[in-house]
Amino acid sequence: MSISKERILEYKKNFGLRVRELRESKGFSQLDLASEINVEKTSISRIENGRTNVTLVTAVKLANALGVELKNLFEF
Amino acid sequence: MSISKERILEYKKNFGLRVRELRESKGFSQLDLASEINVEKTSISRIENGRTNVTLVTAVKLANALGVELKNLFEF
DNA sequence: AATAAAGATGACATATATGTTTACCCCAAA
DNA sequence: TTTGGGGTAAACATATATGTCATCTTTATT
C-alpha cells in the first residue's frame, strides 16, 4: 500500500507553509523571493498554497534563497 | 544570482545516491522498491542515476517505502 | 476616494517527470 | 551454455510543474 491522496496533499500544504514561514521571517515578499531565484511570483503563490508538487530543483533554489539547508524545507 | 546548472546536477545525483544507499541497506532491488510505491522500475533507475528532477510526491513515497523521514532523503 | 503593493487565481504554452513498453548488458546459478 | 534476476536505457504517451500574461481582491497609504 502506498500513501493516500490526503496524505500527499498534506505534504504539499506543509511544504508551502514552511516556505511561507521562512520567507516571511526574512521579510521577503513573494515577488522578492521569486526574483531572487528567477521563478515567477505566480509559482511562489502556487507553491505556498500547496497547489503544486514542487521539484527538487525548485526546492534547492528556494532553500538557497531562504538561507537554509535543503533538508530544513522538509522539516514539518 | 541563482544556482549553477552544475550545482543542480549535483543535487540530483546526491539525491539518487541517497536513495540507492537506503534501498541497498534495506536489501531491496530497484524492482522491490518500485513495486512498493507503485512506480516503474525504470523511474527508480532514472532517479538513482541522477537523471530526473524528482517531485515532492515521489520523494514522499520513497521516504515512506524506505522507512525514513522525508528530510532524511535530503541529507547529503 | 485613489493609488499602489501584495497576494491569489485563471488560461494557455512549454518543458519535463513519470508511465509504459521494449530491448539490451551483466552476472550468477543451473 | 542457457536461464533469470538486476540494472540501464531508448522511445513514445500522459500528466503536470513552471512560465507567461492577465485579472481580481485585499490591505495600506495618501
Side-chain angles (χ1 to χ4, degrees):
Chain A
M1 269 305 302
S2 206
I3 303 195
S4 70
K5 292 189 189 299
E6 291 74 26
R7 201 74 155 290
I8 291 291
L9 187 54
E10 272 181 39
Y11 274 95
K12 290 188 191 175
K13 285 190 176 166
N14 286 331
F15 182 88
L17 291 176
R18 185 83 182 102
V19 170
R20 172 161 291 168
E21 175 180 44
L22 288 165
R23 174 179 61 79
E24 291 180 341
S25 80
K26 302 285 176 184
F28 290 161
S29 68
Q30 288 183 348
L31 181 56
D32 291 333
L33 179 55
S35 306
E36 189 78 22
I37 63 181
N38 298 312
V39 300
E40 296 296 319
K41 67 171 189 159
T42 296
S43 292
I44 301 295
S45 176
R46 285 187 287 223
I47 290 166
E48 287 190 359
N49 287 288
R51 305 202 287 119
T52 56
N53 177 17
V54 281
T55 65
L56 174 61
V57 170
T58 300
V60 167
K61 290 178 181 173
L62 287 169
N64 194 56
L66 293 169
V68 298
E69 298 270 342
L70 178 60
K71 65 179 177 186
N72 287 320
L73 284 188
F74 300 93
E75 282 171 350
F76 45 74
Chain B
M1 268 300 302
S2 206
I3 302 194
S4 70
K5 293 188 188 299
E6 293 72 27
R7 201 78 155 289
I8 291 292
L9 187 53
E10 273 181 39
Y11 274 95
K12 290 187 188 175
K13 285 189 177 166
N14 286 331
F15 182 87
L17 291 176
R18 185 83 183 100
V19 169
R20 172 162 291 167
E21 175 181 45
L22 288 164
R23 174 180 62 79
E24 291 179 342
S25 79
K26 302 285 177 182
F28 290 162
S29 67
Q30 289 184 347
L31 182 55
D32 291 334
L33 179 55
S35 307
E36 189 80 22
I37 63 180
N38 299 311
V39 300
E40 296 295 319
K41 68 168 188 162
T42 295
S43 291
I44 300 295
S45 176
R46 284 188 286 222
I47 290 166
E48 287 190 358
N49 286 290
R51 302 200 286 119
T52 56
N53 176 15
V54 280
T55 64
L56 173 61
V57 170
T58 301
V60 167
K61 290 178 181 172
L62 287 169
N64 193 57
L66 294 168
V68 299
E69 298 270 344
L70 178 60
K71 66 179 176 186
N72 286 319
L73 284 188
F74 300 93
E75 280 170 353
F76 44 77

